[in-house]
Amino acid sequence: MTLFENTVKLRGFLVKDSASPPSDGVTDDAFAVLFLATMSGTWNIAYSEWIPRTTCHRIVCPGPYFCGFTRGMKRGEYVEVEGELYVYDYERPVVVEGERFTAERFRCEVRALQVRRLERPPMVVDTGEND
């Protein structure tokens, strides 16, 4: 048993094409970025309906290996990512009624440890008719 663990496993569809540097620009500190959509939701008991929610996750894939592996990944591909969750703060300038303030913001991202292309699942469409 480990005392602390920071692991994330996501499976979903790419929202857009992968962003990776060109092959002649790959260095040891290069990285590729994927945007992965996952779906979840909640059941509204009062109306007896499912309320779906789609979340887009920013996946940072560090290193030359990932830059080469993710290059060519296109929007709509079905992938699985295992990695670690990183949360960091940054300050953002905000103007309210002509006055300048700084607002603390935070950003979450997943740093990939493993990326797998998966076979696209068969789509099931509910036509509302019972056979």
Side-chain angles (χ1 to χ4, degrees), residues 93-111:
V94 178
V95 178
V96 178
E97 295 182 2
E99 263 190 87
R100 230 173 156 62
F101 299 95
T102 57
E104 286 265 327
R105 300 284 305 233
F106 72 94
R107 171 175 247 161
C108 298
E109 67 185 24
V110 174
R111 302 265 172 101

Side-chain angles (χ1 to χ4, degrees), residues 78-92:
Y78 189 50
V79 298
E80 180 179 84
V81 175
E82 290 183 41
E84 296 178 335
L85 180 66
Y86 278 78
V87 180
Y88 54 92
D89 298 324
Y90 65 97
E91 290 185 357
R92 180 173 174 245

Side-chain angles (χ1 to χ4, degrees), residues 10-101:
L10 299 170
R11 187 177 299 144
F13 295 94
L14 293 181
V15 176
K16 57 184 182 179
D17 297 351
S18 70
S20 56
S23 54
D24 60 346
V26 174
T27 60
D28 288 338
D29 58 345
F31 60 91
V33 178
L34 302 174
F35 289 95
L36 185 72
T38 58
M39 285 197 68
S40 60
T42 55
W43 184 257
N44 185 334
I45 295 174
Y47 295 102
S48 187
E49 68 180 357
W50 178 256
I51 302 170
R53 179 178 61 246
T54 303
T55 307
C56 185
H57 307 274
R58 183 175 191 258
I59 314 292
V60 175
C61 305
Y65 170 77
F66 277 129
C67 289
F69 181 75
T70 60
R71 185 176 298 117
M73 284 188 164
K74 300 289 183 194
R75 177 178 183 236
E77 283 193 47
Y78 189 50
V79 298
E80 180 179 84
V81 175
E82 290 183 41
E84 296 178 335
L85 180 66
Y86 278 78
V87 180
Y88 54 92
D89 298 324
Y90 65 97
E91 290 185 357
R92 180 173 174 245
V94 178
V95 178
V96 178
E97 295 182 2
E99 263 190 87
R100 230 173 156 62
F101 299 95

